[in-house]
Amino acid sequence: MSANSLPEGAAVWHSLEVDKALDLLDSNADSGLTPQETQQRLQKYGPNELEETAGRSAWEILLDQFKNIMLLMLIGVALISGFLDLMALREGRLKPGEVPFKDTIAILAIVILNGILGYVQESRAEKALAALKKMTSPLVRVLRDARLVEIAAKELVPGDVMLLEAGMQIAADGRLIEQSNLQVRESALTGEAEAVNKQASLKLPEDTSLGDRLNVVYQGTEVVQGRAKVLVTNTGMTTELGKIAAMLQAVESEPTPLQQRMTQLGNVLVTGSLILVAIVVAGGVIRDGGFKNIQELLEVSLSMAVAVVPEGLPAVITVTLALGTQRMVRQNALIRKLPAVETLGSVTTICSDKTGTLTQNKMVVQSVSTNNKTFRVTGEGYAPTGDFQLNGQKISLEESPEISALAVACAVCNDSVLQKEQGEWAILGDPTEGALLTLAGKAGIEKDQWNSKLPRVAEFPFSSERKRMSVISQVEGVATGDASSRGVDPAIAGFLQSEPYLMFTKGSPELTLARCTQIHLGNDTGTLTEEQRQKILAENDLMASKGLRVLGFAYKPLVEIPPEGSDETSEQGLVWLGLVGMLDAPRPEVRAAVQECREAGIRPVMITGDHQLTARAIATDLGIAQEGDRVLTGQELQRMTDQELEQNVDLVSIYARVSPEHKLRIVQALQRRGRFVAMTGDGVNDAPALKQADIGIAMGITGTDVSKEASDMVLLDDNFATIVSATKEGRVVYTNIRRFIKYILGSNIGEVLTIAAAPLIGLGGVPLTPLQILWMNLVTDGLPALALAVEPPEPDVMQRPPFSPRESIFARGLGSYMIRIGIIFAIITIALMWWAYQHTHAAGYQGNPEAWKTMVFTTLCIAQMGHAIAIRSNNRLTIEMNPFSNIFVLAAVVVTTILQLMLVYVPPLRDFFGTHYLNMQELGVCIGFSALMFVWIEGEKIFLRIMGKKAV
């Protein structure tokens, strides 16, 4: 077979015999490929590398910031303003001391700052693929032309014969040719922490899930133990790691709800502004009967355009999100992408991994069965404290000596160590064996003590074929005669007659029980009857159906140490001790978090690589699913079309034995159903789904670099409850963003209407310059808006469903509020403006006739202070609220008012901003008119209360 006729990676290698796989790839298990074949295949398949598609350059990202419609309008305003200043400079129309181009410079500075702010947020490079590349091995040992050579991993081709040994990172996907005691850690790909025992001789069904393909190995995984010879079947982008890289790059980032809402807001504001400018210019031309005052009308138009754009809004939103990230970090949620703070508040579905997120990632024994009795075991984690309960009642170990006997077997037939580190109990070794040591500790059996009472002298190690292990221990103090009278611990007194050795066996319950002929009862032994055997198997099935991992225990007295390799004959005629059922127990705080999700209208979903029985047991215990709810497995999901999955995705809360593509499909199906999805993950296999999800959440403790780089948020404690806390914070942030948008835009509409009214009612000149409007939008609007951003949450924030992520920024009354308040602002200010114009143009007025403009400027600014105090709550009156619950609002109001008065009464600032001195009577009138704004908003709340309505 030539290189050109090789299969394209579609062959299901795990379903093929070794010889068939070698034939397909035209390779030889003993000699590998020739240099000529290698070169041909390298040309055909390319190097064994992950390929990266080109993304946007830094310049493209920066230029994209200036495509925002509001910034484009401001750029236009700056250019026109600069042109008018240039004309005035040439014609000598500038007033004494007036600085030319100050409006242009100020506006362009705001544009540049907003552009930089957007660039900084968006330019964080996606490094998920770079982290993925780090998982590939640089060097690999292969057979080439019957010689063992070491080559660069990128030179591997399909058909190469690769040699593996402990500690190696696997450089390509391959079918095992032969293996010896091979264990591979595939957690990065499958999410399962335990190393997998591989077997070359197996031939598996085509639909076998990724985690169960025991005859193949994958790029990026690690050899923990043993050695193997492997036929390379897939390289580069056709490996499982390559498929993940391709999926990562295929996922396109969608704008967040906040970004979509800000785009909508900009479109509405700019369109409305342009329409209003056209009306004012047309009205002025009609009124004047021509274009003789076109420059004045252009100045009015420029001021209106600046007034309509909330220049301070991007900065206020950025600071608000940044403050939200700080609060979330204190709750163990690290936000990697700033808009994710607000996006969390829109989540409708949380798809969570099981291991370590919903559970403690600590195996805990839940149930023990001995002598036809099943005991419940209490306690949390690895702490060796807890009780044994029978029918809900605590029992003493004296009443059930068989528990102590079983606990001895758990401690002695064990290779792990239980120890206390910095006040926390921890395991060195296998988590399953750690759970057994904890169980023994609860029964008062400590491994260290029993290592001296029963020192190990030999063992038959665990293997995937035997599915059990045995330990042979010497019984200290036993010579001949009756064991019970020779200082043997009472816990094992019933095990012995005169034998000097004891063998303890643990493993698969069915296989261990099949080798038993007797059963331990109390302090004695008896013949194991068929009825007892069936009861034990039934209890094993019952435990397994609850999702427990079940181990069987037995022992055998020995007169001598069995020879090495005699396990088949030695492990016969055993005495049955009992069953131990364990589970990676749920985190105790997760039940309350799931309940809080339900109350908040958020649906939790479990997606795991674990078996369906275990998944169902945990999900039911936590309240994620109900008894009898459907569990969808990876194999079933594989057979579904996208349409079928979409029809089922709202009905399934548990997914078991899933692969990377499945997670991605589940997220996409939920999104097509209009759901807003948060997805957790820790492995490389989770990265595409994390990137696709509206909120990708990586694990901080167990997560790979790849998953963290693809995520929006990292859980520092890997805890589901932290997601719920972060979601609450997201809702608070969104509520506060809406609050200060109402605050800022209500005043902006008032400014626009006031400016537009001046020429229409026959007042001379523009009441506000672009520079003064920028001051209002950045300082008198910006500082109180920042203070409103830290408003504490309403008490019912998690007792309502999430607001639709697709709702308009103007939804739920925000648009009508802005227009209503803007009109009230305008009416109050226009009334003041009319009075001030008459006042400053009256005969005998001592001040500057242009002072009416400063009164308008001051009234608009101080009215906003009353607005800021009143808008803290939609429903509660200001006198009903604790004024110190948000001290920042009071501080912002005081500071902003002082700054505004400085613009009127400090000569250098007065000259720069073009204001005029106001006497105390004029300032008092401004404050009186401004107070009407506060009175109106409070009056609205009273009216809504009388009408029995509640603002949202």
Side-chain angles (χ1 to χ4, degrees), residues 411-733:
V412 175
C413 191
N414 202 306
D415 293 325
S416 294
V417 177
L418 176 66
Q419 59 188 24
K420 203 168 189 178
E421 295 177 350
Q422 299 174 345
E424 291 283 326
W425 286 96
I427 286 295
L428 289 178
D430 181 69
T432 300
E433 294 199 326
L436 297 175
L437 288 182
T438 301
L439 173 70
K442 292 173 184 177
I445 304 295
E446 293 186 19
K447 184 180 178 182
D448 288 346
Q449 293 178 4
W450 281 86
N451 280 344
S452 59
K453 294 178 182 178
L454 293 172
R456 185 183 302 191
V457 292
E459 63 184 290
F460 297 126
F462 178 88
S463 74
S464 53
E465 292 85 3
R466 295 171 56 242
K467 294 187 178 177
R468 63 185 179 275
M469 72 172 284
S470 293
V471 166
I472 296 95
S473 298
Q474 184 173 341
V475 183
E476 290 295 328
V478 175
T480 58
D482 183 10
S484 62
S485 65
R486 282 176 167 75
V488 177
D489 192 289
I492 60 167
F495 289 6
L496 303 160
Q497 292 299 321
S498 59
E499 298 85 357
Y501 301 103
L502 268 177
M503 180 173 71
F504 292 97
T505 302
K506 75 173 181 213
S508 160
E510 297 91 342
L511 297 181
T512 305
L513 182 63
R515 292 174 173 268
C516 292
T517 56
Q518 292 180 293
I519 185 169
H520 190 74
L521 303 168
N523 281 318
D524 205 354
T525 58
T527 303
L528 180 64
T529 66
E530 185 59 31
E531 183 184 358
Q532 288 171 324
R533 195 181 295 273
Q534 292 307 316
K535 282 184 178 180
I536 292 168
L537 290 173
E539 183 61 33
N540 174 52
D541 292 343
L542 181 62
M543 284 186 180
S545 71
K546 294 176 181 177
L548 300 182
R549 182 178 183 187
V550 189
L551 292 175
F553 286 81
Y555 75 91
K556 181 181 180 181
L558 298 173
V559 294
E560 61 181 5
I561 300 173
E564 191 175 337
S566 65
D567 51 279
E568 193 60 35
T569 54
S570 298
E571 292 174 337
Q572 297 286 356
L574 305 179
V575 182
W576 179 256
L577 276 172
L579 296 167
V580 173
M582 65 189 72
L583 192 67
D584 181 5
R587 290 177 178 265
E589 66 274 20
V590 169
R591 289 184 189 88
V594 168
Q595 180 61 29
E596 192 173 4
C597 274
R598 298 282 189 199
E599 291 172 359
I602 301 169
R603 186 168 77 100
V605 174
M606 178 193 287
I607 302 179
T608 179
D610 212 336
H611 291 279
Q612 62 193 76
L613 289 175
T614 307
R616 185 197 298 275
I618 295 288
T620 305
D621 186 19
L622 292 174
I624 291 173
Q626 307 300 318
E627 284 287 351
D629 278 6
R630 183 181 178 188
V631 179
L632 193 63
T633 65
Q635 288 185 355
E636 293 170 321
L637 197 152
Q638 187 72 39
R639 292 192 288 268
M640 285 183 171
T641 64
D642 287 344
Q643 291 73 25
E644 288 171 335
L645 179 58
E646 194 176 327
Q647 291 167 5
N648 284 276
V649 78
D650 281 338
L651 307 174
V652 178
S653 295
I654 311 169
Y655 297 86
R657 304 306 277 171
V658 294
S659 70
E661 304 88 51
H662 300 153
K663 288 191 173 187
L664 187 59
R665 285 185 66 200
I666 292 165
V667 172
Q668 290 170 335
L670 283 164
Q671 289 174 328
R672 286 195 298 271
R673 297 284 293 180
R675 308 293 175 254
F676 208 73
V677 185
M679 162 68 84
T680 72
D682 55 3
V684 174
N685 59 328
D686 298 320
L690 290 177
K691 194 173 178 186
Q692 175 71 44
D694 300 288
I695 291 287
I697 304 170
M699 302 295 110
I701 299 171
T702 60
T704 58
D705 288 345
V706 183
S707 64
K708 290 174 185 174
E709 288 296 340
S711 69
D712 303 291
M713 180 175 111
V714 178
L715 291 184
L716 300 179
D717 60 355
D718 290 10
N719 194 337
F720 180 85
T722 301
I723 305 173
V724 182
S725 299
T727 301
K728 179 180 179 180
E729 187 60 48
R731 291 188 176 191
V732 174
V733 167

Side-chain angles (χ1 to χ4, degrees), residues 79-293:
L79 294 174
I80 295 170
S81 176
F83 175 76
L84 292 176
D85 278 1
L86 183 64
M87 296 297 294
L89 188 65
R90 284 184 173 180
E91 296 169 9
R93 288 188 284 105
L94 288 178
K95 296 174 185 175
E98 185 177 355
V99 180
F101 307 114
K102 63 183 178 184
D103 291 342
T104 302
I105 293 167
I107 293 168
L108 287 178
I110 295 300
V111 168
I112 291 167
L113 281 173
N114 278 327
I116 292 171
L117 206 61
Y119 172 79
V120 169
Q121 280 192 47
E122 202 176 331
S123 65
R124 183 185 175 95
E126 287 293 346
K127 298 174 185 172
L129 198 67
L132 206 57
K133 285 182 174 180
K134 288 180 185 175
M135 298 187 64
T136 56
S137 175
L139 294 172
V140 63
R141 295 165 64 200
V142 295
L143 286 174
R144 290 272 174 92
D145 229 1
R147 290 186 299 114
L148 182 62
V149 293
E150 192 169 65
I151 62 169
K154 65 180 182 179
E155 295 174 15
L156 274 177
V157 293
D160 261 325
V161 176
M162 177 171 60
L163 300 182
L164 301 178
E165 59 186 40
M168 280 188 171
Q169 203 168 39
I170 298 171
D173 291 3
R175 172 69 166 88
L176 288 172
I177 298 172
E178 59 186 54
Q179 110 289 330
S180 174
N181 202 24
L182 182 68
Q183 288 190 352
V184 179
R185 185 178 288 116
E186 297 181 340
S187 55
L189 273 180
T190 65
E192 293 306 302
E194 289 189 31
V196 180
N197 292 285
K198 296 290 185 176
Q199 297 178 58
S201 58
L202 294 178
K203 178 184 175 184
L204 301 169
E206 285 194 18
D207 61 355
T208 304
S209 63
L210 191 73
D212 294 326
R213 296 174 190 172
L214 303 181
N215 56 5
V216 292
V217 292
Y218 298 107
Q219 183 183 31
T221 58
E222 181 187 352
V223 180
V224 176
Q225 182 179 314
R227 55 183 177 75
K229 184 185 282 188
V230 177
L231 173 69
V232 174
T233 56
N234 298 93
T235 59
M237 296 300 284
T238 63
T239 63
E240 291 297 326
L241 209 61
K243 291 175 188 174
I244 292 170
M247 285 190 285
L248 261 177
Q249 296 181 89
V251 174
E252 295 184 6
S253 297
E254 294 290 328
T256 69
L258 184 62
Q259 290 166 334
Q260 292 171 345
R261 288 165 180 148
M262 290 301 100
T263 301
Q264 179 196 26
L265 179 64
N267 292 338
V268 170
L269 290 178
V270 171
T271 303
S273 171
L274 292 176
I275 291 170
L276 203 54
V277 165
I279 291 171
V280 169
V281 171
V285 170
I286 292 168
R287 185 197 65 191
D288 298 333
F291 293 92
K292 59 183 178 182
N293 290 322

Side-chain angles (χ1 to χ4, degrees), residues 62 65-66 68 70-75 77-78 101-119 305-316 748 770-779 782 913:
L62 182 61
Q65 306 310 311
F66 299 101
N68 178 292
M70 288 194 288
L71 291 188
L72 287 173
M73 189 172 80
L74 282 180
I75 291 169
V77 168
F101 307 114
K102 63 183 178 184
D103 291 342
T104 302
I105 293 167
I107 293 168
L108 287 178
I110 295 300
V111 168
I112 291 167
L113 281 173
N114 278 327
I116 292 171
L117 206 61
Y119 172 79
V306 174
V308 82
V309 177
E311 290 86 0
L313 188 59
V316 173
N748 281 23
L771 189 62
Q772 290 170 347
I773 294 166
L774 283 175
W775 169 266
M776 283 194 293
N777 288 355
L778 290 172
V779 180
F913 281 91

